[in-house]
Amino acid sequence: MSPRIVCFGSLNIDQVFTVASMVKRGETIASTAFDQFPGGKGANQSVALARASKDVSVFHAGCVGADGRFLVDLLKQNKINTDSIHVSETTQTGRAIIQRDGDGDNAIILVHGANFDISTTHIHSTLDAFREGDWLLIQNEINHVSHVIQAAKQRNLKVLLNPAPSPDQFHSIPWELVDILVVNEGEADSVYRGLKSADLRLEDHSRQELAATILHSLPALQAIIITLGSNGVSAAFREAGAANAQLDYITKPALTDCKVIDTTGAGDTFVGYFLANFTSLQDQAVDLNTAFQEAIELAVVASGMACETEGAIPSIPHWEAVVQRRMKQHQ
């Protein structure tokens, strides 16, 4: 049976304002364009999972308002099981208010909406359908994140956490139950300071030192991946997955010749492509080191390609295009 991944995550309507520069405090500016796209970190990552591999079965759990039914239809079109998406008749779908400047960078305001209508009953009824060896993929744009992770572990699921946006209360997340952690530089800094209870910043340490500190502080954590935008990726993982195992490190440069238009969905594309390919390779009995190297490299290419198209979900490339771009990269 193919690997199964359930993404318990947000579904948003992304409202994108193109601006010459990000608005400053007390300032009113005019946008040069406005667009609306399907989004939400959960939905983005589910679509990335589905487009990354035909060998993985993808399920999405979450909540939308009646105004977000089109998001459910979109996931279905991407061959994602949506049986665990609930529709609220009283709460609107979540929103992301996005400023995008001329360099393709963005600043985002989230409106939780129906993403915070998830109940504990919803969580347990969803996870009851999964078994040992399946994966939970979760971010930090829904309520009850801690409860979802704990319920998944009670059922012996593996957990990949992408704690974005960074939690307001560090200890609200059961970090000790996470198998793989994917963070950007700011989130890595927050996790490090939370674990060490120190006011230290990422630039004060090499990325390998930071990754090693986090792995040693969380004995159950199998791997940490730090995405670095235009600088690529730095990752560390335990050989054989054992708590006392030697650490291996991976560094991958970003995609070359990338024409950046919009970075909104790049990180989510990375997460989905990594996990889909990692689980698929492990299911094929590929050794841990090779599986990590291969999955990270494919995810780097896919996330770079996602920067070349507007919108989050519309920008997520399909597997065939990623393979072709990777071959071109190696020529």
Side-chain angles (χ1 to χ4, degrees):
M1 185 177 292
S2 62
R4 301 196 308 168
I5 303 171
V6 54
C7 177
F8 221 126
S10 57
L11 300 113
N12 286 339
I13 299 171
D14 289 353
Q15 297 177 319
V16 183
F17 297 81
T18 302
V19 294
S21 60
M22 303 298 179
V23 66
K24 300 179 179 62
R25 181 177 179 177
E27 183 180 30
T28 300
I29 62 174
S31 65
T32 58
F34 170 78
D35 294 289
Q36 186 162 287
F37 299 103
K41 296 192 73 64
N44 298 343
Q45 292 182 18
S46 279
V47 171
L49 286 167
R51 292 183 182 175
S53 175
K54 296 182 176 64
D55 299 326
V56 172
S57 298
V58 182
F59 302 76
H60 191 96
C63 192
V64 295
D67 57 339
R69 293 181 189 273
F70 76 97
L71 295 170
V72 182
D73 293 337
L74 177 61
L75 295 189
K76 288 179 179 177
Q77 292 167 15
N78 281 272
K79 298 181 171 53
I80 297 166
N81 184 302
T82 61
D83 291 347
S84 292
I85 297 178
H86 291 186
V87 179
S88 172
E89 299 298 336
T90 58
T91 308
Q92 288 189 330
T93 300
R95 296 288 196 280
I97 314 302
I98 302 170
Q99 295 181 70
R100 184 180 63 214
D101 67 16
D103 295 325
D105 290 327
N106 59 64
I108 303 173
I109 300 172
L110 292 177
V111 180
H112 296 309
N115 292 314
F116 268 46
D117 276 5
I118 294 167
S119 68
T120 55
T121 300
H122 183 182
I123 293 167
H124 289 285
S125 63
T126 296
L127 294 178
D128 280 344
F130 295 88
R131 62 181 184 275
E132 182 175 358
D134 292 337
W135 279 84
L136 167 71
L137 171 58
I138 189 165
Q139 312 79 31
N140 195 36
E141 287 188 347
I142 61 171
N143 60 328
H144 294 313
V145 169
S146 175
H147 194 97
V148 176
I149 294 173
Q150 290 167 345
K153 276 301 175 182
Q154 288 168 3
R155 293 159 176 81
N156 294 315
L157 274 68
K158 297 179 181 179
V159 176
L160 188 152
L161 172 64
N162 174 219
S166 294
D168 293 332
Q169 300 295 323
F170 178 83
H171 293 291
S172 66
I173 301 292
W175 305 96
E176 71 280 0
L177 300 181
V178 175
D179 295 281
I180 296 178
L181 188 62
V182 181
V183 290
N184 63 23
E185 291 182 276
E187 292 151 5
D189 182 43
S190 295
V191 173
Y192 179 83
R193 285 186 287 113
L195 289 170
K196 302 304 290 182
S197 299
D199 188 19
L200 299 171
R201 296 196 58 77
L202 181 61
E203 58 264 25
D204 297 329
H205 305 270
S206 76
R207 295 180 181 110
Q208 285 192 4
E209 289 174 337
L210 179 131
T213 297
I214 292 174
L215 279 167
H216 288 313
S217 299
L218 298 170
L221 189 66
Q222 183 180 18
I224 178 170
I225 302 170
I226 306 174
T227 58
L228 306 169
S230 61
N231 291 318
V233 170
S234 180
F237 65 95
R238 304 181 199 274
E239 291 183 357
N244 60 350
Q246 178 179 332
L247 302 185
D248 277 353
Y249 299 95
I250 299 172
T251 300
K252 295 287 183 183
L255 180 68
T256 58
D257 300 324
C258 180
K259 299 176 181 177
V260 177
I261 294 175
D262 183 3
T263 62
T264 304
D268 296 330
T269 299
F270 179 92
V271 172
Y273 256 82
F274 166 77
L275 185 58
N277 284 286
F278 177 68
T279 56
S280 178
L281 289 165
Q282 289 238 289
D283 189 57
Q284 299 168 40
V286 174
D287 70 89
L288 185 65
N289 190 310
T290 302
F292 262 104
Q293 293 270 3
E294 180 78 2
I296 287 176
E297 184 168 336
L298 286 164
V300 166
V301 174
S303 60
M305 292 174 67
C307 296
E308 299 177 328
T309 303
E310 289 186 334
I313 288 176
S315 73
I316 300 170
H318 289 269
W319 165 255
E320 295 80 6
V322 173
V323 172
Q324 290 178 2
R325 187 67 170 270
R326 183 191 187 193
M327 291 175 61
K328 182 181 177 182
Q329 177 98 337
H330 287 172
Q331 288 177 350

